[in-house]
Amino acid sequence: MTAIPMMELKELKLKNFKSFKRVKIPFKRGFTVIVGPNGSGKSNILDALLFVLGETSMKSLRASRITDLINNTARENYGKVELKIKKSKETITISRTIDTKGKSICRINDERKSLSELTSLISELGLRNSHNFVAQGDVTRIIEMSPEQRRTIIDELAGIKEFELKREEAQKNLDKVNNRIKDVNLVLHERLARLEELEKERKQAERYK
């Protein structure tokens, strides 16, 4: 039986992100608890995690526009979130930067990547999952869901949904191939029928000669 590699968050760095000018949050094994009074920025830390993991919904990031994520008192014209992830013995560093013009730059181990490449890596690590992060009100919403909706969440958390999506995509491709084969067979039958007619005409011409 193959062991699943351990994956854990190691460190989160914020620079000019929302209410934070500069902060570094280490994650130890077990529970890391962040406490503070209302308005101290606890929810902004969750927003930073979502942002660096490729979230694009302004509603999820609790912002009207993406430039609102930059600290409005920052001297620099950008905001940045960096996350270190440990998988087995490998440490992966991902970051996402946004400037005042709304331009976003993603990096994986200091190499510039597209947002889709970043989210693809996050999916491979099992972090690209909306249910990995439980915001205020989510517990109540899950309790009030139907059994079918909860089953969908369980499948997503277990990684089954990803395989279902791949299976559906493979089935679509297979259906396309089968349709092409049918089209080819139809044309082939037409050509064979035409060849038979030509063969009859050839024999008739030979008899005539």
Side-chain angles (χ1 to χ4, degrees):
M1 188 173 180
T2 305
I4 300 174
M6 289 291 294
M7 192 280 300
E8 55 184 317
L9 306 183
K10 297 301 292 182
E11 185 179 82
L12 180 69
K13 287 183 180 179
L14 283 68
K15 184 175 182 181
N16 301 329
F17 185 85
K18 284 201 167 185
S19 59
F20 296 97
K21 285 191 175 180
R22 188 184 294 268
V23 69
K24 181 169 70 173
I25 303 169
F27 296 105
K28 304 296 182 181
R29 284 204 167 184
F31 288 99
T32 298
V33 181
I34 300 171
V35 297
N38 290 338
S40 61
K42 298 187 298 296
S43 297
N44 290 343
I45 295 172
L46 176 60
D47 295 339
L49 276 170
L50 292 173
F51 175 73
V52 76
L53 293 176
E55 181 62 65
T56 56
S57 167
M58 292 298 100
K59 183 179 179 182
S60 298
L61 295 172
R62 300 183 306 121
S64 299
R65 52 190 179 183
I66 197 164
T67 52
D68 291 340
L69 301 175
I70 303 172
N71 186 290
N72 53 19
T73 62
R75 293 182 179 179
E76 299 90 347
N77 66 341
Y78 69 91
K80 180 180 179 182
V81 179
E82 181 180 292
L83 179 65
K84 287 185 179 180
I85 304 167
K86 186 177 181 182
K87 183 179 181 182
S88 296
K89 296 180 180 180
E90 180 186 10
T91 299
I92 302 169
T93 302
I94 62 174
S95 69
R96 190 177 174 195
T97 306
I98 184 73
D99 64 19
T100 52
K101 294 182 180 179
K103 183 180 179 181
S104 177
I105 296 176
C106 302
R107 296 184 187 278
I108 300 174
N109 293 332
D110 292 328
E111 290 186 15
R112 186 165 177 173
K113 302 289 184 179
S114 66
L115 181 60
S116 61
E117 287 175 315
L118 174 65
T119 55
S120 178
L121 172 65
I122 298 305
S123 296
E124 291 176 12
L125 294 173
L127 283 171
R128 185 66 176 173
N129 188 315
S130 59
H131 304 297
N132 281 337
F133 300 91
V134 182
Q136 294 179 4
D138 281 354
V139 175
T140 303
R141 181 174 60 84
I142 293 171
I143 291 173
E144 293 174 350
M145 282 181 176
S146 67
E148 291 78 13
Q149 290 173 318
R150 281 197 291 271
R151 176 59 189 239
T152 301
I153 292 176
I154 292 170
D155 287 348
E156 188 173 340
L157 289 171
I160 297 174
K161 185 177 180 180
E162 181 182 354
F163 290 106
E164 285 293 325
L165 292 173
K166 289 181 179 179
R167 186 185 66 81
E168 290 175 6
E169 184 65 25
Q171 185 62 50
K172 288 179 182 178
N173 292 332
L174 180 61
D175 291 341
K176 289 179 181 178
V177 171
N178 286 334
N179 289 331
R180 288 175 183 172
I181 291 174
K182 288 179 182 177
D183 293 339
V184 170
N185 284 333
L186 182 62
V187 172
L188 181 61
H189 287 314
E190 291 177 352
R191 295 292 185 272
L192 289 173
R194 179 59 179 158
L195 282 173
E196 289 178 1
E197 291 178 4
L198 291 173
E199 179 65 17
K200 289 179 181 178
E201 292 177 2
R202 185 183 68 81
K203 289 180 178 179
Q204 289 175 355
E206 286 177 349
R207 283 198 299 269
Y208 177 77
K209 287 180 179 180

